[in-house]
Amino acid sequence: MAIQFSGERVRTPADNGRETRATAMRELILAACVGVACLQLPVARAADQGVTLNFVNTEVEAVVRAVAEFTGRTFIVDPRIKGTINLSIERALSRTQALAALTAALRMQGYAVVDSGGIMRVIPEADAKLQGGAVQIGRAGRAGRGDEVVTQIFRLNYESAANLVQVLRPLIAPNNTINAYPGNNTLVITDYSENVRRIARIIAAIDTPAGSDIDVIQLKHAIASDIAVLLVRLLETSAQGGDVSQRVSVLAEPSSNSLLIRSVSDARVKLVRELIAKLDQPAAVSGNVHVVHLKNAEAAQLARTLLGVGGSTSSSSSGAVPVAAQAGQPGQPGQPVQPPRPAGVTGASASGQVGGAQIQADSTTNTLIVTAPEAVYRQLRGVIDLLDVRRAQVLIESLIVEVSSDQAAEFGIQWMGGLQNVGGSQAAAVGGTNFGGAGQNIFGAAQNFASVGKGINIGVIRGQVTLAGVGTVTNLQMLARALEQNSRANILSTPNILTLDNEEAKIVVGKNVPFVTGQYTNTGANSGAAVNPFQTIERRDVGLTLRVRPQISEGGTVKLAIYQEVSSVQDLTNVAGIVTNKRSIDTNVLVDDGAIVVLGGLVEDSVVESAEKVPFLGDIPFLGALFRYETRKQQKTNLMVFLRPYVVRDERTSGSLTLDRYEYMRALEDQAKPSSRLALPDMTQPVLPPLSSPTAPPGTPAAVQPAANPAAVPAELR
């Protein structure tokens, strides 16, 4: 026998009184049905019989109470849950099936059932992730109801948790969450149990080793570095659309003449193995002459390095190369070795013998021509490949910060009396005070009042007076001056320079100023002699100079030999020549990669005070100011020089630094755009174009060395 739960909502015409009676009748019928069911539940539990559900437009809370009585579970309904639900199943259901049917129906309504300590709470789905649901660790998890909200923790072994979030986010319900914890590469997912189990299967399929282990293929006939270059060019053109699964990494190991191969796709690795087997064949043309194309090193410098091991060498700056002396074996006494020519000499070539091999450097094509038997060539080629590596670079940022403050003040009163009758027949007495230099004293102001310096100038004039040897001047009886000056400067210079490891670099930003070093004028013995004046001038750089030589150690520490100079022109009117200010640092420091170090600085604070006064009278309180002239000047200078090196070992780091500086300059140019004016035409300022990596058009084949045999290339890689 099956127990049937049912409930129907009575629908009547829209009459207020009848609607009220119908609602009351509906609640009575529902209560009666629930009561009858409750009386028969003990029988159903004893006989372990099922129940059929038939709820049509029934209140959610009433349906939950009915299922709670049948399953024996305790339910709590959130007060925010309102409305009706349809749950009609004709066949008999067990307690577990009835609970699953209820949770499925509630989920369709936007509600969730969370089991917290045996209490089933019916809450809105958006709040389910915040309630005390089950927490499972590992990918297996415990078996539970499909509509139960659980939290699962996945610990990944190979893939990145942050990358998987982008893949799995669309598979999670909008109200539930997925988060990545990079600390231990873990995913935390809160969702319905059935969906979590599906996601666990997806993670198990994705979180696998990226391809097979690194394959090491030792070559028997070919040179590993040559085959690696050929394979890289060929595989770059064969990868379709930049698909990561189609990429193959190939590296050469010169000491064992082996190739290291790694790829996500086992099929690609197999194809590369087949291609290497076809290319690793004995040379078709016999001979002892080999041409080695260098990638990073300079041919002439590398040849001199190889020959300096113990061979004879000769160098020439012209196209003709002298033949090396071959008397005796290399390294024996009596065979002088010429000192190495400095690197970077255009057109320089070098040749010589070492270990039974003849080496010729061609600077034009940056190649080495090696004439040697196959066994000797292989040994020499291993050394060449170890030396022909990409040299690290160092980007040096130098920060020069100078903050200066100058204050000056002057105050004084000057007077002159008894000039009324000067130049006449009667005797006159003259007296007064005269302080300061040109543009400050009363005599200069009397001759030309416009020559008085800056500041406030107050005077008393009484006509004019004639002075012997001077002429008629203004009769200036009294002059009062007051001046205060303040100046502040904040200068920041950031010269940056990029150079190779152990190579000196120099940057100069400033002016080329002429300095007179000598002059001559021939006036002749008489007025009719020819005059031939001339001057000798030497030009010097005045401004900011940075000269640096970095040396990178194995631990990443950078040793820097630095000379930094900041100079400026102070005075152009000096009769002896131009006066310049100069601040320079010449030092050697050790700095970690990316760290900031202070090279040195200057902290200067000076106060100069001067007073000119009439003896005794200038010391009288208050009245003494009429007989004094005082000046004060304070100068503060704070100069600090900082330095930060960045080691650039690969193209990715170099491109990142270049892009950062490039975008910074583009932003500055955009800020310097001229504003619009009504009376002026709009003009666009020059702006750097967007920086983008050059890409070859689709279908453009990469250059392949002529030594490759097209027939040896599988059709899948063509």
Side-chain angles (χ1 to χ4, degrees):
M1 179 183 68
I3 302 174
Q4 180 178 359
F5 288 164
S6 63
E8 296 184 359
R9 185 172 185 173
V10 179
R11 296 291 182 181
T12 61
D15 182 79
N16 293 336
R18 297 178 60 187
E19 182 68 23
T20 303
R21 292 192 298 272
T23 303
M25 184 179 297
R26 179 197 63 193
E27 293 178 354
L28 291 175
I29 294 175
L30 178 60
C33 293
V34 172
V36 173
C38 293
L39 293 175
Q40 295 181 359
L41 278 176
V43 180
R45 294 192 188 98
D48 196 17
Q49 296 177 352
V51 61
T52 60
L53 304 177
N54 185 19
F55 296 99
V56 179
N57 292 331
T58 308
E59 296 291 339
V60 174
E61 187 175 358
V63 177
V64 171
R65 287 200 305 267
V67 176
E69 291 295 337
F70 173 66
T71 59
R73 306 293 296 269
T74 303
F75 280 80
I76 298 178
V77 181
D78 192 285
R80 293 171 294 176
I81 296 179
K82 302 294 181 182
T84 61
I85 190 174
N86 293 320
L87 181 58
S88 179
I89 301 177
E90 300 298 333
R91 64 183 183 86
L93 301 177
S94 63
R95 294 181 177 87
T96 303
Q97 292 174 340
L99 181 60
L102 175 63
T103 55
L106 291 174
R107 181 178 176 183
M108 297 177 63
Q109 296 288 107
Y111 307 133
V113 179
V114 177
D115 188 354
S116 178
I119 304 298
M120 310 296 292
R121 290 186 290 181
V122 182
I123 58 177
E125 187 182 47
D127 296 341
K129 58 181 177 290
L130 305 177
Q131 303 300 323
V135 178
Q136 305 174 11
I137 301 176
R139 298 181 182 177
R142 65 177 180 83
R145 303 190 326 273
D147 294 301
E148 181 182 2
V149 177
V150 297
T151 298
Q152 187 86 19
I153 300 176
F154 297 93
R155 293 175 179 171
L156 306 181
N157 299 320
Y158 305 101
E159 290 296 329
S160 170
N163 294 337
L164 275 186
V165 169
Q166 306 299 326
V167 178
L168 300 177
R169 175 68 264 184
L171 305 179
I172 307 296
N175 291 325
N176 295 326
T177 61
I178 175 173
N179 295 291
Y181 178 61
N184 57 0
N185 201 33
T186 300
L187 281 176
V188 180
I189 300 176
T190 300
D191 202 0
Y192 292 99
S193 179
E194 60 180 3
N195 195 36
V196 170
R197 288 194 290 267
R198 179 172 69 103
I199 291 176
R201 293 191 294 269
I202 297 175
I203 293 177
I206 296 177
D207 188 28
T208 57
S212 59
D213 296 335
I214 298 177
D215 292 337
V216 181
I217 303 177
Q218 188 171 10
L219 304 181
K220 300 178 181 178
H221 307 284
I223 303 297
S225 57
D226 293 340
I227 298 298
V229 173
L230 182 62
L231 289 175
V232 169
R233 292 181 179 178
L234 184 62
L235 296 173
E236 284 179 354
T237 59
S238 62
Q240 301 295 329
D243 188 0
V244 178
S245 63
Q246 300 299 316
R247 296 179 183 176
V248 182
S249 300
V250 180
L251 296 176
E253 208 289 308
S255 59
S256 62
N257 196 36
S258 303
L259 291 175
L260 307 180
I261 303 174
R262 183 175 183 178
S263 177
V264 177
S265 173
D266 294 336
R268 298 285 291 179
V269 175
K270 181 179 179 181
L271 292 175
V272 174
R273 279 182 165 275
E274 295 176 357
L275 179 58
I276 293 174
K278 295 180 180 180
L279 294 177
D280 187 22
Q281 301 295 333
V285 180
S286 60
N288 294 333
V289 180
H290 307 274
V291 179
V292 181
H293 293 269
L294 301 180
K295 307 179 187 66
N296 302 286
E298 182 186 356
Q301 181 68 23
L302 183 56
R304 285 188 288 270
T305 302
L306 295 173
L307 296 174
V309 175
S312 60
T313 178
S314 63
S315 61
S316 173
S317 59
S318 61
V321 180
V323 180
Q326 301 186 12
Q329 296 297 326
Q332 293 182 353
Q335 285 191 333
V337 178
Q338 298 182 3
R341 182 182 298 271
V345 179
T346 305
S349 301
S351 66
Q353 288 185 351
V354 57
Q358 177 74 26
I359 300 177
Q360 170 71 48
D362 184 11
S363 300
T364 305
T365 58
N366 198 37
T367 56
L368 292 177
I369 303 173
V370 181
T371 304
E374 186 68 22
V376 177
Y377 169 70
R378 287 183 175 274
Q379 295 180 357
L380 191 60
R381 182 59 186 274
V383 178
I384 293 174
D385 290 339
L386 291 176
L387 296 177
D388 185 27
V389 295
R390 180 189 178 101
R391 294 175 62 183
Q393 302 180 89
V394 181
L395 175 67
I396 297 125
E397 288 185 343
S398 179
L399 294 89
I400 306 171
V401 185
E402 180 175 359
V403 180
S404 61
S405 175
D406 296 340
Q407 295 182 356
E410 60 178 276
F411 179 79
I413 298 177
Q414 307 172 54
W415 54 270
M416 187 64 62
L419 294 178
Q420 288 81 1
N421 298 321
V422 175
S425 58
Q426 299 179 358
V430 178
T433 58
N434 180 27
F435 302 124
Q440 297 174 340
N441 56 65
I442 192 171
F443 282 160
Q447 298 179 35
N448 182 11
F449 198 80
S451 65
V452 182
K454 300 177 181 179
I456 184 171
N457 301 275
I458 301 175
V460 176
I461 299 175
R462 182 178 296 176
Q464 293 181 338
V465 66
T466 301
L467 298 177
V470 178
T472 302
V473 298
T474 303
N475 186 8
L476 184 60
Q477 299 287 304
M478 190 269 293
L479 175 64
R481 277 182 45 79
L483 173 65
E484 184 174 352
Q485 291 179 324
N486 294 308
S487 64
R488 291 178 175 84
N490 184 0
I491 303 173
L492 173 64
S493 302
T494 58
N496 300 339
I497 191 169
L498 179 67
T499 181
L500 286 172
D501 180 25
N502 210 25
E503 292 287 344
E504 183 178 302
K506 179 180 179 182
I507 182 173
V508 177
V509 180
K511 298 179 180 179
N512 194 257
V513 180
F515 290 83
V516 178
T517 58
Q519 59 183 357
Y520 175 76
T521 302
N522 182 13
T523 58
N526 50 56
S527 59
V531 179
N532 184 22
F534 69 89
Q535 290 181 336
T536 58
I537 296 176
E538 179 184 357
R539 290 188 172 271
R540 301 175 186 173
D541 294 330
V542 176
L544 192 149
T545 302
L546 173 63
R547 189 169 64 246
V548 61
R549 179 191 295 274
Q551 184 178 358
I552 305 173
S553 65
E554 289 295 332
T557 304
V558 183
K559 178 183 178 182
L560 299 170
I562 304 166
Y563 176 78
Q564 191 163 49
E565 176 184 309
V566 179
S567 57
S568 60
V569 176
Q570 181 182 17
D571 189 4
L572 295 172
T573 61
N574 195 315
V575 294
I578 301 175
V579 179
T580 60
N581 298 321
K582 179 180 177 181
R583 299 181 178 94
S584 63
I585 293 177
D586 190 355
T587 182
N588 297 295
V589 296
L590 287 175
V591 192
D592 291 334
D593 180 16
I596 299 179
V597 64
V598 58
L599 298 183
L602 168 68
V603 178
E604 181 182 12
D605 191 354
S606 63
V607 178
V608 179
E609 183 176 2
S610 64
E612 299 177 67
K613 62 182 179 180
V614 177
F616 304 110
L617 297 179
D619 297 329
I620 299 175
F622 302 107
L623 293 178
L626 299 175
F627 303 93
R628 288 197 307 265
Y629 193 88
E630 297 176 323
T631 60
R632 291 180 182 178
K633 185 176 182 180
Q634 183 182 30
Q635 290 182 328
K636 290 185 178 181
T637 303
N638 296 279
L639 172 67
M640 286 292 170
V641 180
F642 302 90
L643 185 139
R644 175 167 54 187
Y646 289 103
V647 178
V648 181
R649 299 186 182 274
D650 50 25
E651 181 62 27
R652 178 180 300 177
T653 307
S654 176
S656 176
L657 290 173
T658 301
L659 180 61
D660 178 68
R661 302 316 191 266
Y662 196 87
E663 294 298 334
Y664 174 72
M665 292 305 300
R666 290 192 67 209
L668 289 181
E669 286 186 333
D670 187 64
Q671 294 176 3
K673 181 179 180 180
S675 58
S676 179
R677 292 291 186 272
L678 181 62
L680 297 176
D682 291 337
M683 297 182 182
T684 58
Q685 82 281 15
V687 179
L688 291 169
L691 185 62
S692 59
S693 301
T695 56
T700 303
V704 181
Q705 296 182 357
N709 182 9
V713 182
E716 294 83 353
L717 295 179
R718 294 180 187 172

